[in-house]
């Protein structure tokens, strides 16, 4: 069902209501309840999501697996498998299996025993199997996971042939040389386990219908994402306040974490990227995933910094970015290159609306850059135009934002989508990057990450501070 964004509650009113709800909840002996908990998605909405997926895949059984392991010591908290969370509402239940049985129009939850940590059983995490849990969360049954194998075997024996599984957004690493069974990639390992245990099942991908459903947000999801976007915008301003020549990258990363948590988030939705100078070029940027120090370095005068950050709260993420000058001012050439990016970016925003293709959005941005090219007067500006036009659509990346900070979206925009438009390019020593969280509406768009600068002069004003 299409979201009617005109009926959305204003965020300020929602937050006021949540504050009142939180006070009332705390009066009911819940002193440890957080703002995120009182804004979470209602049980009925999860049930509607499951019904929609059952309608999309009526001929088989969709099997969604919860995160099978504990959090790493480095994570701020347990991060549930996003698709399992989206359809179950169970953010803190490890290793569970959600089975959506299309032919029977039933949903069953299979629960693992309480996990073991440091040799001790962790109580209070896994709900009890039985009717109380199934009724609480709206499932047809909640069972021990010892029942999963015989249950699925019986359904296959009864004539159900197809088992649908979700896939990772990007290809998962195998973690071993060719010819060996994989040891890495939770979605791929889940597929391998199902295929090995049920060789007579036809295992198919549910990625497309899941992606299409998750891409259009409900009113509550949009409110959560807007709140996260505003917290992230505040964190970006905190980076601008701390940044300067001689400032260590770790200092600006810590500014993001501190700002997110101070605003009420659980932490960053991904570890902050505040790379300076050559480390902001994509070729070196991606190396941060394999660097102990995240590419840590000291920001130098005259350099630019790519700020790509998000705050996580309410079980949803965020993704916002800007380019900041280390010295507080852009050079004339940097300014012209940045303004060219802004010109193309705004043209893309103006093109966004329900039923508009992503390709058309990118084409609008490219067209605006091409039209502005003859007016450029600096070497950096002309080099920027050449880089942008040479890369074509590759400059204008767009993705969804939801439980995951980066989600796939269909090729045609729909009202209710929350997307991140994040163009970027590099010339010489400098890398340029821009990103907002944007709600697609019936007639256009609305930027959720409000309060951030766009033009070079606006960014320089932010860097100077109050």
């Amino acid at each position: 069902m299409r979201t009617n964004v005109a009926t959305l509650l204003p965020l300020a009113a929602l937050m006021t209501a949540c504050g009142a709800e939180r006070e009332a909840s705390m009066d009911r002996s819940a002193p440890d309840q957080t703002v995120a908990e009182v804004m979470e998605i209602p049980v009925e909405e999860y049930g509607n999501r499951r019904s929609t997926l059952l309608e999309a895949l009526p001929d088989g059984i969709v099997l969604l697996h919860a995160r099978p392991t504990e959090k790493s010591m480095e994570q701020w908290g347990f991060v549930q498998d996003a698709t399992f969370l989206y359809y179950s509402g169970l953010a803190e239940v490890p290793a569970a299996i959600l089975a959506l049985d299309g032919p029977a129009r039933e949903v069953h939850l299979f629960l693992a025993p309480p996990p073991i940590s440091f040799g001790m059983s962790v109580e209070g995490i896994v709900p009890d199997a039985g009717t109380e849990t199934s009724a609480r969360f709206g499932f047809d049954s909640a069972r021990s996971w010892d029942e999963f194998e015989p249950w699925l075997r019986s359904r296959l024996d009864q004539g159900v042939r197809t088992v649908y599984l979700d896939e990772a957004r990007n290809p998962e690493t195998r973690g071993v040389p060719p010819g060996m069974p994989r040891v890495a990639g939770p979605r791929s390992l889940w597929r391998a386990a199902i295929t090995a245990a049920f060789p007579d099942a036809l295992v198919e991908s549910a990625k497309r219908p899941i992606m299409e459903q998750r891409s259009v947000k409900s009113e509550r999801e949009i409110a959560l994402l807007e709140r996260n976007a505003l917290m992230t915008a505040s964190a970006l301003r905190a980076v601008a306040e701390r940044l300067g020549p001689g400032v260590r990258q770790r200092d600006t990363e810590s500014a993001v974490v501190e700002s997110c948590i101070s605003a009420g988030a659980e932490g960053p939705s991904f570890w902050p990227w505040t790379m300076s100078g050559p480390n902001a070029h994509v070729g070196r940027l991606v190396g941060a995933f394999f660097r102990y120090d995240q590419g840590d370095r000291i920001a130098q005068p005259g350099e630019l910094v790519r700020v790509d950050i998000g705050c996580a709260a309410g079980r949803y993420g965020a993704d916002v970015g800007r380019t900041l000058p280390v010295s507080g001012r852009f050079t004339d050439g940097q300014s012209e290159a940045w303004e060219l990016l802004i010109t193309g970016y705004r043209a893309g925003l103006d093109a966004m609306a329900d039923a508009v293709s992503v390709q058309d959005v990118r084409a609008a941005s490219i067209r605006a850059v091409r039209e502005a090219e003859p007016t450029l007067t600096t070497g950096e500006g002309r080099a920027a135009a050449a880089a942008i036009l040479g890369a074509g659509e590759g400059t204008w990346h767009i993705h969804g934002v939801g439980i995951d900070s980066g989600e796939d979206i269909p090729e045609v925009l729909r009202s209710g989508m929350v997307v991140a438009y994040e163009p970027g390019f590099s010339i010489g020593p400098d890398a340029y990057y821009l990103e907002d969280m944007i709600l697609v509406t019936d007639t256009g768009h609305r930027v959720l990450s409000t309060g951030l600068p766009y033009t070079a002069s606006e960014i320089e004003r932010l860097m100077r501070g109050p």
Side-chain angles (χ1 to χ4, degrees):
M1 180 178 296
R2 178 177 295 174
T3 300
N4 182 0
V5 296
T7 64
L8 290 176
L9 290 171
L11 184 64
L14 178 62
M15 290 298 292
T16 299
C18 286
E21 184 179 350
R22 182 177 186 233
E23 290 182 6
S25 298
M26 292 180 71
D27 289 342
R28 295 194 295 270
S29 302
D32 59 344
Q33 191 171 31
T34 67
V35 174
E37 288 173 323
V38 301
M39 288 189 72
E40 63 187 34
I41 305 299
V43 171
E44 294 77 16
E45 186 166 318
Y46 289 107
N48 291 337
R49 293 173 181 178
R50 294 191 291 268
S51 295
T52 299
L53 188 59
L54 286 169
E55 291 172 4
L57 300 171
D59 62 324
I61 297 173
V62 184
L63 298 178
L64 304 177
H65 198 215
R67 175 175 173 155
T69 62
E70 71 276 15
K71 82 175 190 71
S72 69
M73 294 291 284
E74 296 81 14
Q75 285 181 296
W76 52 262
F78 180 83
V79 178
Q80 182 61 279
D81 176 86
T83 303
F84 177 87
L85 172 58
Y86 181 83
Y87 288 104
S88 72
L90 301 174
E92 298 178 339
V93 178
I97 302 168
L98 187 67
L100 296 91
D101 188 333
R105 298 287 298 178
E106 293 177 346
V107 180
H108 305 283
L109 178 68
F110 296 88
L111 294 157
I116 304 296
S117 181
F118 289 88
M120 296 177 287
S121 178
V122 181
E123 303 300 329
I125 293 293
V126 178
D128 295 330
T131 56
E132 182 177 345
T133 295
S134 60
R136 178 184 175 191
F137 295 104
F139 305 124
D140 291 289
S141 73
R143 314 181 188 190
S144 164
W145 76 346
D146 292 340
E147 298 181 51
F148 172 72
E149 194 277 339
W151 173 82
L152 184 54
R153 173 59 54 201
S154 70
R155 294 297 289 133
L156 294 173
D157 290 343
Q158 292 164 15
V160 179
R161 292 268 66 86
T162 307
V163 171
Y164 290 103
L165 307 178
D166 193 20
E167 296 180 63
R169 183 182 178 211
N170 298 308
E172 295 180 315
T173 181
R174 295 182 58 84
V176 289
M180 295 180 62
R182 66 168 50 246
V183 298
R187 297 270 175 86
S188 300
L189 288 171
W190 176 231
R191 184 185 183 95
I194 292 296
T195 301
F198 305 97
D200 50 338
L202 177 62
V203 179
E204 299 284 357
S205 173
K207 182 176 182 178
R208 184 75 188 183
I210 288 173
M211 177 266 289
E212 290 179 345
Q213 184 179 351
R214 285 181 57 184
S215 67
V216 178
K217 311 306 183 191
S218 69
E219 295 181 8
R220 183 57 67 92
E221 286 183 290
I222 292 168
L224 285 166
L225 288 166
E226 183 165 17
R227 186 190 62 172
N228 290 2
L230 294 175
M231 287 192 291
T232 306
S234 180
L236 197 148
R237 291 191 292 270
V239 173
E241 292 175 5
R242 191 166 300 185
L243 181 62
V247 172
R248 184 184 173 193
Q249 178 180 308
R250 291 298 192 189
D251 289 336
T252 50
E253 292 170 358
S254 66
V256 175
V257 177
E258 179 182 0
S259 181
C260 288
I261 293 175
S262 296
E266 297 300 327
S269 48
F270 53 92
W271 190 254
W273 284 15
T274 57
M275 280 68 169
S276 62
N279 282 6
H281 290 238
V282 173
R284 292 178 65 166
L285 190 75
V286 295
F289 287 104
F290 302 95
R291 292 281 299 274
Y292 176 81
D293 64 357
Q294 174 85 353
D296 186 24
R297 70 188 292 273
I298 304 299
Q300 301 300 312
E303 290 182 339
L304 301 180
V305 175
R306 173 193 174 114
V307 182
D308 185 359
I309 61 176
C311 296
R315 303 171 184 173
Y316 280 71
D319 196 4
V320 177
R322 287 295 187 276
T323 298
L324 302 179
V326 171
S327 300
R329 292 186 63 84
F330 294 98
T331 66
D332 290 345
Q334 290 171 339
S335 177
E336 187 170 64
W338 174 253
E339 297 290 351
L340 183 65
L341 183 64
I342 295 295
T343 297
Y345 181 76
R346 284 175 163 163
L349 288 187
D350 289 342
M352 288 186 183
D354 182 63
V356 173
S357 72
V358 172
Q359 186 175 11
D360 285 344
V361 172
R362 292 171 175 151
S365 292
I366 294 169
R367 188 164 51 250
V369 170
R370 184 173 289 112
E371 291 172 355
E373 184 180 18
T375 68
L376 302 173
T377 61
T378 68
E380 290 93 333
R382 289 189 290 270
I388 292 172
L389 297 175
E393 292 190 359
T395 296
W396 308 97
H397 183 53
I398 184 169
H399 64 79
V401 186
I403 295 175
D404 287 320
S405 293
E407 299 181 344
D408 286 328
I409 57 171
E411 284 304 308
V412 176
L413 299 178
R414 294 168 60 196
S415 179
M417 285 184 177
V418 174
V419 302
Y421 197 28
E422 53 169 0
F425 67 93
S426 300
I427 53 169
D430 298 325
Y432 297 83
Y433 175 79
L434 170 65
E435 183 176 31
D436 277 311
M437 288 171 58
I438 303 146
L439 172 65
V440 179
T441 69
D442 290 336
T443 58
H445 73 279
R446 181 164 68 87
V447 175
L448 303 183
S449 47
T450 55
L452 289 176
Y454 285 96
T455 67
S457 61
E458 290 170 349
I459 289 175
E460 290 171 352
R461 229 173 7 252
L462 174 65
M463 299 291 291
R464 288 195 297 271

